[in-house]
Amino acid sequence: MEINKIAVIGGGTMGNGIAHVFAMKGFEVNLVEMKEELADKALATISKNLDRQIKKEMISEDDKKSILGRITKIIGVENTPVDVDLVIEAIYENKDVKSSIFNTLQLLIKSDSIFASNTSSISITELSVSNRPDKFIGMHFMNPVPMMKLIEIIRGYSTSDETFNTIKELSEKLGKVPVEVFDYPGFVANRILMPMINEAVFALMEGVASKEDIDTVMKLGMNHPMGPLTLADFIGLDVCLAIIEVLYKGYNDSKYRPCPLLKKMVAANKLGRKTGEGFFKYD
Ligand code: NAI
């Protein structure tokens, strides 16, 4: 199946990056947000990120104009154009809200279109809509989307080979490296990453070392580009908590229990970069 026209639902951290990458590769992108000002914010972020690429001489001013020209903002999921070939959902990590969006979309969008979720951890099989389970798949981009090469492609229980191959080829067209993953909680990336972040928060809570030193150990000792607490701030502590809870419930295993300090910080709205403060402070 040929994919030309897409819809990205949610223009937050991941959604605006996904829209950016598709528009750069010549796809017609509909960026769907809840409110006009949120859509404008997403477009402003894309514009700012394109300016960075101009500075690095990766694209020209004219390229920027054509890339932005390929992105149409849409307000309200119910206004998503019916003829998109692919929908990529990138709203916050909540199963019920994601399901309700897919339930609306399945009645609206043409029946041969593919539905993908950018969920970090929620079961693709459980999110699948009833009228096209074979055309439902996970497309787990990494943050920041324009820079990170990996896409985990998650096969739900009923995802067809045809859908998988279409999305694999599409990911390659975007210049990404797709990896085939089966549908288990946390997939591969977050099953390994989140227990490490959660353990770093336990180490901090128990006073094993300072936040700076915990990060330094992992940076200099393991050659990680950033420490786990800095990375958690970058991802968003609410997102980290939601993912570790999915692992905890999904495997019924106490080794995934979320650290009380992580829970407390989310309750205090210290979510990391996006709120200006997490483990560290940001301007
Ligand atoms: P975010 O909170 O930055 O953005 C979510 C966006 O969705 C917001 O702009 C919000 O206005 C919009 N939204 C919410 N309900 C909507 C609706 N009904 N219609 C249209 N738009 C709606 O969240 P983020 O970080 O972009 O995460 C999105 C998804 O990507 C989550 O499933 C998350 O687990 C996953 N993810 C996040 C990564 C990260 O590093 N933040 C990395 C990889 C995946």
Side-chain angles (χ1 to χ4, degrees), residues 149-255:
K149 284 266 179 207
L150 178 72
I151 305 183
E152 280 189 304
I153 303 185
I154 300 110
R155 296 182 78 129
Y157 190 84
S158 307
T159 307
S160 68
D161 289 343
E162 193 190 344
T163 300
F164 175 78
N165 289 329
T166 303
I167 294 302
K168 182 171 178 272
E169 279 161 29
L170 177 71
S171 305
E172 286 161 351
K173 257 194 214 163
L174 293 176
K176 304 291 185 194
V177 178
V179 169
E180 179 180 22
V181 177
F182 293 90
D183 190 18
Y184 288 96
F187 315 130
V188 173
N190 283 311
R191 182 166 179 177
I192 297 172
L193 176 65
M194 284 306 154
M196 182 190 74
I197 288 178
N198 196 42
E199 204 57 36
V201 188
F202 268 114
L204 178 66
M205 187 181 79
E206 290 165 9
V208 179
S210 69
K211 56 193 174 186
E212 290 82 7
D213 286 349
I214 289 170
D215 273 7
T216 301
V217 167
M218 297 307 283
K219 270 196 301 186
L220 302 187
M222 317 299 152
N223 235 357
H224 288 192
M226 64 176 92
L229 300 174
T230 303
L231 180 57
D233 278 356
F234 184 67
I235 295 169
L237 301 198
D238 52 338
V239 177
C240 293
L241 179 60
I243 297 170
I244 197 83
E245 276 174 342
V246 166
L247 288 169
Y248 186 39
K249 284 186 196 126
Y251 291 109
N252 281 316
D253 189 332
S254 64
K255 77 177 173 184

Side-chain angles (χ1 to χ4, degrees), residues 33-278:
E33 257 296 350
M34 290 188 291
K35 291 183 186 158
E36 191 86 30
E37 59 265 33
L38 292 169
D40 289 339
K41 193 176 159 208
L43 284 171
T45 304
I46 296 172
S47 171
K48 198 179 69 194
N49 290 337
L50 287 169
D51 286 339
R52 276 203 200 126
Q53 291 178 308
I54 294 174
K55 259 195 199 141
K56 289 187 194 158
E57 296 183 355
M58 291 163 72
I59 57 166
S60 66
E61 283 284 354
D62 281 351
D63 292 334
K64 177 183 170 182
K65 270 191 206 125
S66 354
I67 292 166
L68 288 176
R70 283 194 282 273
I71 306 177
T72 307
K73 64 177 177 184
I74 306 282
I75 311 306
V77 170
E78 64 287 358
N79 296 318
T80 309
V82 297
D83 60 343
V84 294
D85 306 308
L86 169 68
V87 172
I88 303 177
E89 168 277 314
I91 69 146
Y92 56 94
E93 192 74 343
N94 178 298
K95 186 175 163 225
D96 292 341
V97 185
K98 283 183 191 284
S99 288
S100 106
I101 283 175
F102 280 122
N103 285 334
T104 304
L105 287 169
Q106 70 167 332
L107 303 174
L108 198 73
I109 307 295
K110 66 186 171 85
S111 59
D112 62 344
S113 305
I114 294 176
F115 283 7
S117 175
N118 184 52
T119 177
S120 304
S121 59
I122 300 170
S123 163
I124 293 302
T125 309
E126 287 177 32
L127 281 179
S128 290
V129 285
S130 54
N131 77 347
R132 62 188 92 189
D134 56 320
K135 295 190 175 64
F136 201 98
I137 197 158
M139 254 184 123
H140 184 210
F141 290 83
M142 302 291 133
N143 183 16
V145 184
M147 290 170 64
M148 299 293 279
K149 284 266 179 207
L150 178 72
I151 305 183
E152 280 189 304
I153 303 185
I154 300 110
R155 296 182 78 129
Y157 190 84
S158 307
T159 307
S160 68
D161 289 343
E162 193 190 344
T163 300
F164 175 78
N165 289 329
T166 303
I167 294 302
K168 182 171 178 272
E169 279 161 29
L170 177 71
S171 305
E172 286 161 351
K173 257 194 214 163
L174 293 176
K176 304 291 185 194
V177 178
V179 169
E180 179 180 22
V181 177
F182 293 90
D183 190 18
Y184 288 96
F187 315 130
V188 173
N190 283 311
R191 182 166 179 177
I192 297 172
L193 176 65
M194 284 306 154
M196 182 190 74
I197 288 178
N198 196 42
E199 204 57 36
V201 188
F202 268 114
L204 178 66
M205 187 181 79
E206 290 165 9
V208 179
S210 69
K211 56 193 174 186
E212 290 82 7
D213 286 349
I214 289 170
D215 273 7
T216 301
V217 167
M218 297 307 283
K219 270 196 301 186
L220 302 187
M222 317 299 152
N223 235 357
H224 288 192
M226 64 176 92
L229 300 174
T230 303
L231 180 57
D233 278 356
F234 184 67
I235 295 169
L237 301 198
D238 52 338
V239 177
C240 293
L241 179 60
I243 297 170
I244 197 83
E245 276 174 342
V246 166
L247 288 169
Y248 186 39
K249 284 186 196 126
Y251 291 109
N252 281 316
D253 189 332
S254 64
K255 77 177 173 184
Y256 299 113
R257 74 210 179 287
C259 177
L261 177 59
L262 181 63
K263 285 180 163 176
K264 187 158 70 174
M265 290 179 71
V266 172
N269 205 37
K270 306 290 181 201
L271 306 182
R273 270 179 188 275
K274 61 183 159 190
T275 57
E277 187 179 343

